Amino acid sequence: KTSSDYCFPHRLESFVLLQEALERNPEDAKGWYYLGNFLYSRQQYDAAIQAWEKSTDLDDSFPTVFRNLGLGYYNKKSDAARARKAYETAYALDCSDARILYELDQLYKKMACPLQHRKIFLEQHSDMLNQRDDLYIEYIWLLNQTGEYEKALKHLLIHNFHPWEGGEGKVTGAY
């Protein structure tokens, strides 16, 4: 037990319950997913990744577990190639999830994918852009960076932006 387990006994109880459930049903993909989430929140990253991998071995149709693996591979293992594969799988499984699309584009950005490739990719999923202001503004930045200033301005003027955490100054910066 850690000191925070004494302050928050429900954390330890949750872990014990997850372990008991998986002992009874080790083929429960969602149980392994939840265990991975718990372990990741406890900074047990390797064990979390292993639990998520077990989840995907049992059920390869759940996009969120692949998204989590993408985060773990990139942020904790510094493995951009595996992160990319995991994120692309997540997005292929749920092309309606704008959050996964945004995070996949951010991974492409960190991997220094060509600007034109990223712009075309987002244009192929233009129906998703309006769902997230951060995704929309990233597209506008790509327009600016590829010299399409008039198109960027048009998109800035027709969209109603909402304030979002971490987004301070991004709209005015794009302008």
Side-chain angles (χ1 to χ4, degrees):
K1 277 187 167 183
T2 67
S3 60
S4 65
D5 290 326
Y6 291 106
C7 296
F8 302 101
H10 62 279
R11 289 182 182 172
L12 185 59
E13 290 170 12
S14 298
F15 180 69
V16 170
L17 288 172
L18 281 169
Q19 284 190 313
E20 287 177 4
L22 286 169
E23 285 173 13
R24 291 182 186 162
N25 184 8
E27 301 301 305
D28 180 8
K30 286 286 178 25
W32 288 104
Y33 162 75
Y34 291 123
L35 179 62
N37 291 350
F38 179 84
L39 293 166
Y40 199 87
S41 76
R42 303 296 298 190
Q43 300 177 348
Q44 295 180 31
Y45 305 118
D46 290 339
I49 290 169
Q50 289 173 357
W52 289 329
E53 288 172 339
K54 176 74 173 171
S55 177
T56 64
D57 290 343
L58 295 169
D59 178 5
D60 63 358
S61 67
F62 184 44
T64 307
V65 72
F66 284 100
R67 178 251 180 201
N68 290 4
L69 277 170
L71 286 171
Y73 290 148
Y74 190 83
N75 293 334
K76 303 305 172 187
K77 297 283 192 181
S78 300
D79 190 338
R82 286 176 77 189
R84 180 179 181 157
K85 184 176 182 197
Y87 262 110
E88 288 174 345
T89 300
Y91 192 65
L93 289 170
D94 185 0
C95 295
S96 69
D97 192 328
R99 178 182 181 176
I100 292 175
L101 177 61
Y102 173 72
E103 291 176 0
L104 175 57
D105 177 65
Q106 291 302 290
L107 179 62
Y108 288 159
K109 183 178 183 178
K110 289 177 182 177
M111 294 177 70
C113 287
L115 298 174
Q116 195 66 25
H117 167 81
R118 291 179 50 222
K119 184 179 79 69
I120 291 169
F121 177 68
L122 290 183
E123 287 172 344
Q124 290 170 341
H125 305 281
S126 61
D127 56 319
M128 305 290 294
L129 295 177
N130 285 321
Q131 293 183 27
R132 292 183 63 101
D133 283 349
D134 50 3
L135 179 60
Y136 194 89
I137 200 70
E138 194 65 33
Y139 175 66
I140 291 171
W141 275 104
L142 287 166
L143 291 172
N144 278 328
Q145 291 171 321
T146 56
E148 296 184 54
Y149 309 115
E150 294 299 321
K151 190 173 180 180
L153 180 60
K154 176 185 157 224
H155 279 280
L156 273 171
L157 295 175
I158 63 171
H159 188 76
N160 184 25
F161 291 93
H162 306 88
W164 74 93
E165 185 177 340
E168 300 84 4
K170 290 197 176 199
V171 176
T172 54
Y175 177 79

